[in-house]
RNA sequence: GCGGGUGUGGCGGAACUGGUAGACGCGCUGGACUCAAAAUCCAGUUCUGGCGACAGAGUGUCGGUUCGAUUCCGACCACCCGCACCA
């Protein structure tokens, strides 16, 4: 006896168990079918899954289940991005060990993900905090080191003097540490770097080949890499003015055409020449110190005025030795970009103009806009950076900007001073090397040893992994590894003398830069990867995740793939790990505020709707609650909905369905109670519909001539099949959902039409089965339950995708809209292959057309076959 | 400042290469069933006028191309996002 209502609470665990029993989602590397790798960004085990995870994994699961049904060998793994600061924060606050905290969270979240019914190969699960994972990461670090892809150099960091730790830029708020509130200092620390800049050009160029990436993401990466073509120019210094041993300044410019507009030189406060000059000039030293202070906060930089200090040093113009330019130390010059020095051409650069206007250095325009009289052209407050022709520039006068650049480059390249050319063409990147050192405990230890005699010595591969010590405390600020004498002290692998372990750990972005490769053979012990497995599975066919990782994570992964290729760990074409990339939108929700201004969580709010106006009250007290703007679900605004609650009360299928419906996947989706109710309603509707189909088909098993309804039903099913295929392939899940609704409506309507008649049972059953197969990637549990109710043996999750019958997509007669002068006036139904003249004749018979013509003669009739007819009066 | 995106009913959104604007869902209105409620079912729902057939307007604004424009072109407006003293 079929129950009246579908009970998700009972059905979902039952089918999850059935899938697990058959182990149908386990993927074998030796499966001969074509591969398809579907990957969603693995979660950080923060405690519990949130709706963003539900959305992300629901999308990935649709693709995985769909591709599996279509005969692909699908890899769809899951793991944990398990190192990171929150675990250490929890350790400090709750006296729990980061490892215990992390693994407890993993257990909770694994259970939650399993309750979603995702088609994951759990046998490949990995956690980045597992030595079995990070030992391979250490191995690759050593290989990269050997290959020259790792650097050790000093870099400025944000230092929190209270917490005694390095802070990321995002952790500096108004110049203060986000936890301690202490003013952040700039410190120079020796750090480890991955030489991502070695691949800057390739990372930039290959973006063009990533056709299945969002344009937005490619653009963001392109800007981040920041390629610009220019000229390195050496300016000689007038010896009498220069500090001892200093003979020149090298600058980078992209506007060498404006060299005759130069008014000054400027160098960064931490430029070596500035330091040399400051040694003899205490005022300059003070100025440099002042610049450092401002350097910290982003906000301050924005508002800071262009300040400079004349060092007294004079540089000589490369085209005129008698032309001297004052050398300033200026607060707006960055040591990290180019050479940390510029020549200032105020007429054509806004910053330079602001600067000269402050210090009274004047300006000379050297590029004149087209159609402007050079004699009339002056620059006052606004620099001119548009197109034009050269003026006031001696041998460049009259040239275009491009031609002038070329001429300058050509001349200076061939002009030799001190055995070197005066200038050199250079492609400059904004991208900087990736600093991976973190003064933290809960991360992958950097496998090197510092020996007084031998210097930096890599840990021998056979000694890996360098595991984190577990007996650490967090009651004192700073890195526990620094304080752990027993762990730190180690004999030097080279000479055997007493030496010290590196106590920095790796940026957690390193952990996530290769996990997708590890998934291809996570069992391998001796090597990070099995080359054959990596090469066979990568690139990932479809990667899905949040836009917040559009730059760093994806860029680092692209770097890693190249570095892995270079060190023999893989051989992936172009070093591109992700063939298809999709960035999904966020889950947002209304906010609620009580009278006292405190945030109220949706679970405590009841929203009532009266004639279109919505009011909210607090459950229990009945006190009114103010409905606030829709915002990203966050703990601080308390506008979160717990997936567990939704799954418990409605089931995973309802949650999945709602996450996929309505909003296009790349946009934000608004979580609403009504929307969930609608999804839940559809679940029950499917259950009833399939029940009715089962009954009708059972009573009419065939043997009779087919009724007209049978063809209608078949056509509806195959139309939906074609549309859903296309929508899923294009990741347009909201459209797929709409098409499934349409089929449900059509089946229901035909069921009513055909009631009591015979000759449509088999067609109805067939359509019902197709319907369930379309539904299965999205609501897999419900689909299984219905599949069984239709009397099918086996699992719908294992059923091959229905074969589309294209002949069912064409109609014998078509109804064409008829326009008169572009305005629709009537419809005409004609045979599909009706001739132009037959259609024209039929159209002119129509009353509505005659009326609209108002007696005017027909000038033209445009017939677009199977589309439209337009009569032009 | 530079770069990019978006704009369609009350709401989320759909509309293949220019071809019936508003699929599908939510909400709302009316009705059926019920003692009642929930659930379900039926009908309606872009706006304006009309009892009605119907007519007019309509995809941010203004203009252009076209037999025909949400779609193509130009200018503008609004909102959102990314980067930002990058030489």
């Amino acid at each position: 006896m079929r129950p009246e209502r579908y009970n998700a609470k009972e059905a979902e665990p039952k089918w999850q168990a059935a899938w697990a029993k058959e182990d149908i989602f386990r993927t074998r590397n030796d499966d001969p079918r074509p591969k398809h790798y579907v990957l969603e960004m693995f979660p950080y085990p923060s405690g519990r899954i949130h709706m963003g995870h539900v959305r992300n994994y629901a999308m990935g699961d649709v693709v995985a289940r769909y591709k599996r049904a279509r005969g692909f060998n699908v890899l769809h793994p899951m793991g944990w991005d398990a190192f990171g600061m929150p675990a250490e924060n929890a350790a400090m606050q709750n006296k729990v060990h980061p490892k215990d905290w992390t693994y407890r969270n993993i257990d909770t979240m694994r259970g939650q993900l399993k309750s979603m019914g995702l088609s994951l190969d759990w046998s490949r699960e990995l956690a980045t905090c597992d030595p079995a994972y990070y030992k391979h990461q250490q191995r690759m670090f050593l290989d990269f080191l050997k290959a020259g892809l790792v650097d050790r150099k000093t870099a400025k960091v944000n230092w929190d003097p209270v917490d005694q730790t390095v802070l990321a830029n995002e952790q500096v708020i108004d110049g203060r540490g986000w936890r301690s509130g202490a003013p952040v200092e700039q410190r120079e620390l020796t750090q480890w770097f991955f030489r991502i800049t070695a691949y800057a050009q390739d990372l930039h160029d290959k973006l063009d080949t990533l056709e299945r990436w969002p344009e937005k993401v490619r653009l963001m990466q392109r800007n981040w890499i920041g390629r610009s073509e220019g000229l390195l120019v050496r300016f000689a210094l007038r010896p009498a003015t220069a500090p001892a041993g200093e003979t020149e300044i090298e600058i980078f410019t992209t506007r060498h055409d404006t060299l005759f507009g130069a008014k000054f030189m400027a160098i960064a406060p931490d430029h070596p020449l500035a330091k040399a000059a400051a040694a003899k000039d205490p005022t300059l030293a003070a100025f440099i110190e002042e610049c450092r202070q401002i350097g910290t906060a982003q906000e301050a930089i924005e508002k800071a005025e262009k300040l400079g200090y004349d060092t007294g040093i004079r540089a000589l113009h490369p085209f005129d030795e008698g032309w001297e330019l004052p050398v300033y130390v200026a607060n707006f010059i960055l040591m990290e970009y180019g050479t940390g020095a510029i020549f200032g051409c105020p007429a054509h650069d806004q910053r330079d103009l602001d600067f000269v206007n402050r210090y009274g250095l004047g300006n000379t325009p050297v590029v004149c806009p087209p159609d402007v009289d050079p004699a009339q052209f002056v620059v006052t407050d606004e620099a001119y950076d548009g197109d034009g022709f050269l003026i006031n520039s001696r041998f460049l006068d009259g040239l275009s900007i491009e031609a002038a650049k070329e001429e300058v480059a050509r001349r200076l390249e061939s002009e030799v001073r001190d055995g070197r050319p005066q200038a050199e063409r250079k492609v400059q990147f904004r991208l900087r090397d990736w600093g991976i050192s973190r003064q933290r405990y809960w991360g992958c230890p950097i496998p090197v040893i510092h020996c007084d005699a031998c210097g930096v010595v890599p840990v021998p591969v056979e000694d890996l992994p360098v595991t984190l010590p577990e007996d650490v405390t967090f009651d004192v600020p700073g890195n526990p590894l620094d304080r752990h004498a027993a762990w730190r002290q180690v004999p030097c692998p080279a000479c055997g003398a007493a030496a010290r372990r590196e106590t920095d750990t790796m940026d957690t972005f390193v952990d996530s830069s290769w996990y997708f490769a590890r998934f291809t053979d996570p069992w391998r012990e001796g090597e990070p990867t099995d080359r054959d497995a990596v090469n066979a599975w990568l690139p990932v066919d479809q990667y899905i995740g949040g836009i917040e990782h559009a730059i760093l994570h994806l860029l680092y992964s692209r770097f890693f793939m190249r570095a892995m290729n270079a060190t023999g760990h893989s051989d992936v074409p172009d070093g591109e790990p992700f063939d298809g990339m999709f960035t999904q939108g966020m889950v947002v929700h209304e906010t609620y505020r009580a009278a006292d201004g405190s945030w109220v969580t949706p679970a405590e709010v009841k929203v009532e709707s009266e004639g279109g106006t919505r009011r909210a009250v607090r459950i229990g007290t009945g006190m009114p609650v103010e409905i606030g703007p829709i915002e990203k679900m966050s703990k601080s605004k308390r506008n979160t909905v717990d997936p567990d609650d939704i799954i418990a009360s409605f089931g995973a299928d309802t949650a999945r369905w709602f996450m996929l419906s309505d909003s296009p996947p790349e946009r934000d989706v608004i979580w609403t109670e009504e929307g969930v109710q609608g999804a839940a309603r559809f679940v029950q509707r499917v259950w009833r519909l399939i029940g009715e189909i089962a009954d009708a088909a059972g009573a009419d098993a065939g043997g009779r001539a087919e009724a007209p309804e049978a063809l209608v039903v078949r056509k509806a099913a195959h139309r939906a099949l074609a549309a859903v295929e296309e929508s899923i392939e294009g990741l347009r899940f909201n459209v797929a959902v709409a098409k499934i609704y349409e089929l449900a409506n059509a089946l229901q309507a035909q069921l009513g039409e055909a009631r009591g008649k015979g000759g449509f049972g088999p067609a109805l059953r067939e359509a019902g089965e197709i319907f369930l197969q379309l539904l299965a990637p999205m609501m897999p549990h419900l689909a299984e339950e219905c599949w069984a109710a239709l009397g099918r043996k086996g699992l719908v999750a294992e059923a091959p995708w229905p074969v589309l019958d294209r002949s069912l997509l064409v109609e014998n007669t078509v109804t064409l809209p008829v326009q008169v002068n572009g305005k629709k006036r009537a419809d005409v139904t004609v045979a599909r292959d009706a001739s132009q003249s037959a259609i024209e004749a039929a159209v002119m018979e129509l009353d509505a057309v005659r009326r609209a013509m108002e007696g005017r003669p027909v000038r033209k009739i445009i017939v677009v076959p199977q589309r439209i007819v337009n009569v032009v009066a």
Side-chain angles (χ1 to χ4, degrees):
Chain A
M1 188 57 198
R2 193 172 59 231
E4 211 165 294
R5 285 181 68 78
Y6 169 73
N7 186 341
K9 223 175 202 164
E10 284 171 18
E12 291 186 349
K14 180 178 77 186
W15 293 111
Q16 285 159 18
W19 300 326
K21 189 174 158 234
E22 303 290 326
D23 210 8
I24 61 171
F25 303 129
R26 182 189 293 265
T27 304
R28 289 170 33 176
N29 283 355
D30 60 0
D31 191 309
R33 293 173 299 170
K35 69 99 180 178
H36 195 87
Y37 190 171
V38 184
L39 184 67
E40 300 98 59
M41 289 180 183
F42 67 163
Y44 177 79
S46 55
R48 310 178 63 75
I49 65 167
H50 53 68
M51 278 301 169
H53 292 126
V54 174
R55 193 174 191 207
N56 193 180
Y57 301 137
M59 289 178 192
D61 204 42
V62 171
V63 177
R65 286 177 180 269
Y66 169 76
K67 287 289 180 183
R68 191 174 285 114
R70 298 225 70 165
F72 287 89
N73 184 33
V74 172
L75 177 56
H76 188 213
M78 181 55 70
W80 310 97
D81 188 12
F83 274 136
M85 285 212 355
E88 285 188 59
N89 294 339
M92 286 181 253
Q93 277 156 19
N94 309 325
K95 309 259 177 260
V96 53
H97 194 282
K99 181 179 171 184
D100 297 337
W101 183 85
T102 301
Y103 276 101
R104 208 180 299 155
N105 291 346
I106 287 176
D107 285 341
T108 305
M109 291 172 73
R110 185 192 302 108
Q112 290 183 294
L113 290 184
K114 287 197 170 178
S115 76
M116 281 182 67
L118 302 169
S119 65
L120 293 164
D121 180 356
W122 283 103
S123 75
R124 295 177 188 245
E125 178 183 359
L126 56 81
T128 57
C129 65
D130 184 348
Y133 179 83
Y134 70 69
K135 80 170 177 188
H136 300 296
Q137 193 163 305
Q138 294 174 335
R139 163 69 187 279
M140 285 194 285
F141 176 92
L142 296 176
D143 289 347
F144 291 2
L145 185 64
K146 217 181 292 171
L149 292 168
V150 178
D151 249 0
R152 192 157 183 263
K153 55 189 178 188
T154 62
K156 274 194 288 189
V157 294
N158 302 311
W159 180 261
D160 185 322
V162 172
D163 277 356
Q164 299 203 9
T165 186
V166 168
L167 299 176
N169 283 336
E170 306 81 65
Q171 294 165 342
V172 180
I173 297 155
D174 293 331
R176 291 170 179 272
W178 68 295
R179 279 177 62 84
S180 68
V184 169
E185 297 168 8
Q186 296 281 296
R187 276 208 186 175
E188 294 245 327
L189 287 187
T190 305
Q191 310 241 77
W192 290 97
F193 288 82
F194 280 143
R195 293 194 53 223
I196 190 169
T197 53
Y199 294 100
Q201 184 76 59
D202 192 52
L203 288 166
H204 181 273
D205 293 348
K206 292 296 191 308
L207 286 171
D208 292 334
T209 70
L210 301 175
E211 284 164 17
R212 293 181 52 232
W213 280 41
E215 187 53 42
K216 182 188 171 80
V217 173
R218 291 197 282 172
L219 203 90
M220 281 163 73
Q221 293 223 351
R222 205 169 281 133
N223 291 341
W224 188 262
I225 296 168
R227 182 182 191 277
S228 49
E229 290 178 12
L231 203 63
L232 280 175
V233 185
R234 294 157 58 220
F235 283 67
L237 302 181
R238 203 175 98 203
T241 63
E246 301 287 346
T247 60
E248 64 178 30
I249 300 179
E250 191 171 41
I251 60 103
F252 175 74
T253 179
T254 55
R255 290 301 303 270
H256 29 296
D257 55 307
T258 64
L259 217 41
F260 287 104
K263 288 291 168 195
F264 66 97
M265 311 287 293
I267 59 177
D270 36 5
H271 192 280
L273 185 58
K275 285 179 185 163
K280 289 183 296 183
D281 184 346
T283 325
L284 174 56
F287 175 75
I288 290 171
E289 191 47 43
E290 198 184 311
C291 293
R292 279 226 177 98
Q293 302 292 317
I294 301 171
T296 341
Q298 294 277 335
E299 295 286 309
I301 293 171
E302 247 170 77
K303 291 170 199 140
E305 277 188 275
K306 311 269 174 286
L307 294 178
Y309 180 90
D310 185 353
T311 59
I313 302 169
R314 295 293 175 266
L316 307 180
H317 195 280
F319 285 122
D320 184 346
E321 303 235 320
W323 182 347
E324 293 190 355
L325 294 161
V327 178
Y328 281 76
V329 171
N331 64 350
F332 63 97
I333 307 301
L334 306 171
M335 193 58 220
E336 296 80 9
Y337 187 78
T339 60
I342 62 151
F343 83 89
C345 176
H348 306 289
D349 182 293
Q350 193 59 47
R351 286 161 308 168
D352 296 349
L353 187 61
D354 294 346
F355 189 78
V356 294
N357 286 346
R358 184 181 182 96
Y359 293 102
L361 299 173
N363 75 75
T364 307
V366 290
V367 176
C368 184
D371 310 321
V372 171
D373 177 3
Q376 304 293 315
F377 184 55
V378 287
V379 168
T380 51
D381 301 331
E382 212 167 303
Y384 177 71
D385 60 1
D387 207 2
F389 58 94
L390 274 285
I391 55 171
N392 302 327
S393 295
R394 306 187 191 180
F395 53 85
L396 299 176
D397 281 352
L399 294 181
S400 70
I401 292 176
E402 275 317 302
K405 278 185 186 173
E406 182 56 34
E407 182 62 17
V408 167
R410 203 183 54 76
R411 288 194 185 217
L412 291 181
E413 264 173 339
S414 55
E415 203 153 309
V416 176
R417 203 184 67 231
D418 303 338
R420 288 192 297 144
Q422 280 262 85
E424 176 188 338
R425 290 173 214 251
K426 166 124 201 259
V427 176
Q428 178 69 42
F429 294 95
R430 206 187 72 105
L431 183 68
R432 297 176 209 166
D433 278 333
W434 173 15
I436 59 157
S437 286
R438 297 291 181 271
Q439 290 68 38
R440 301 248 161 231
Y441 166 75
W442 195 232
C444 172
I446 293 174
V448 299
I449 290 164
H450 299 278
C451 171
D452 287 335
C454 310
V456 174
V457 182
V459 171
V461 170
E462 56 273 19
D463 290 352
L464 296 182
V466 176
T467 49
L468 289 169
E470 297 204 9
D471 52 335
V472 287
T473 53
F474 295 89
D475 42 9
V476 200
N479 182 353
L481 295 178
D482 273 336
R483 303 191 297 267
H484 200 295
W487 184 81
R488 277 192 80 179
Q489 286 164 10
V490 63
C492 170
C495 69
R500 304 166 308 280
R501 278 192 196 286
E502 170 67 67
T503 57
D504 283 354
T505 53
M506 292 185 211
D507 179 7
T508 57
F509 272 115
V510 180
D511 311 338
S512 55
S513 292
W514 71 285
Y515 76 107
F516 46 87
R518 183 68 188 167
F519 273 140
T520 64
D521 184 1
W523 308 282
R524 178 158 292 256
E525 287 184 11
E527 301 277 332
T529 56
D530 172 50
R531 269 179 63 117
D532 291 339
V534 176
N535 297 345
W537 280 113
L538 290 179
V540 172
D541 294 276
Q542 188 61 63
Y543 197 30
I544 308 178
I547 187 78
E548 68 274 18
H549 292 116
I551 299 179
L552 294 185
H553 165 58
L554 294 176
L555 194 62
Y556 293 155
S557 298
R558 297 178 64 218
F559 160 75
F560 233 83
M561 197 84 261
R562 284 162 170 77
M564 285 172 72
N565 276 356
T567 51
H569 291 289
S570 62
D571 195 12
V572 175
D574 283 353
E576 288 298 343
F578 311 120
D579 187 46
M581 172 71 220
F582 188 85
T583 51
Q584 106 256 6
M586 295 183 301
V587 183
V588 295
H589 197 287
E590 275 180 338
T591 48
Y592 305 107
R593 275 192 126 143
D596 63 1
S598 64
W599 301 103
V600 185
T601 185
E604 298 168 3
V605 172
K606 189 168 154 37
V607 178
E608 291 156 347
S609 179
E610 243 181 59
T613 52
R614 302 170 71 248
R615 293 183 309 119
V617 295
R618 198 163 185 145
I619 293 168
T621 65
M623 295 289 282
V625 172
E626 190 194 340
I627 300 178
I630 295 167
E631 297 191 55
K632 178 184 179 172
M633 284 192 180
S634 75
K635 279 181 189 151
S636 58
K637 301 253 164 89
R638 299 196 71 206
N639 60 338
T640 56
V641 173
D642 190 339
D644 264 2
D645 293 348
I646 300 300
I647 290 173
S649 42
F650 297 99
D653 284 338
T654 297
R656 293 169 59 128
W657 184 254
F658 178 55
M659 287 283 83
L660 296 166
S661 55
D662 283 353
S663 285
E666 68 278 9
R667 279 200 219 165
D668 291 351
V669 63
I670 307 170
W671 183 276
T672 61
E673 180 66 19
E674 291 85 354
V676 183
Q677 297 285 358
R681 209 153 45 218
F682 184 61
V683 168
Q684 296 303 334
R685 205 181 132 206
V686 169
W687 178 243
R688 284 193 307 273
L689 176 65
I690 293 299
E692 286 175 41
I693 288 174
D695 292 345
D700 177 29
R704 241 186 289 214
E706 283 216 331
E709 287 83 0
L711 190 60
V712 175
V713 163
R714 282 216 172 86
K715 282 182 171 174
H718 281 262
R719 260 201 312 275
L721 174 59
V724 170
E725 279 177 11
E726 198 187 311
S727 306
I728 294 180
E729 298 274 1
L731 306 178
R732 294 156 50 85
F733 306 113
N734 57 322
V735 181
V737 163
K739 297 298 174 185
I740 290 172
Y741 269 117
E742 261 180 28
L743 180 55
N745 292 346
L747 290 179
Q748 204 150 23
Q750 288 309 309
L751 209 51
E753 289 288 317
R755 186 155 291 140
K757 303 179 202 163
F760 64 98
L764 204 53
R765 166 184 295 279
E766 194 187 304
E769 288 180 6
I770 288 176
F771 172 75
L772 291 178
Q773 290 189 266
L774 300 182
L775 193 72
M778 306 181 185
M779 299 212 271
H781 313 87
L782 175 66
E784 294 289 3
E785 191 77 16
C786 291
W787 193 249
L790 269 187
R792 290 287 306 239
K793 303 277 175 261
L795 297 163
V796 68
E798 286 197 292
W801 194 251
V803 177
L804 179 63
D805 182 349
R806 295 208 170 267
S807 70
L808 289 170
L809 300 182
V810 291
E811 297 287 344
N812 287 328
T813 59
V814 287
T815 299
L816 302 177
V818 179
Q819 297 181 337
V820 175
N821 288 336
K823 196 167 284 271
K824 191 200 165 192
R825 296 295 175 183
D827 288 308
V828 67
T829 301
V830 295
R832 190 168 64 88
D833 50 3
S835 70
Q836 173 110 8
S837 54
I839 294 172
E840 285 180 16
V843 162
M844 295 318 294
E845 291 295 307
L846 297 169
D847 276 352
V849 173
R850 284 210 198 117
R851 233 182 303 135
M853 292 302 290
E854 292 167 338
R856 289 169 296 186
V858 176
R859 274 207 285 159
K860 202 178 353 172
I861 299 183
I862 291 155
V863 177
V864 183
Q866 292 171 63
R867 282 261 177 241
I868 202 167
V869 182
N870 193 9
V871 183
V872 185

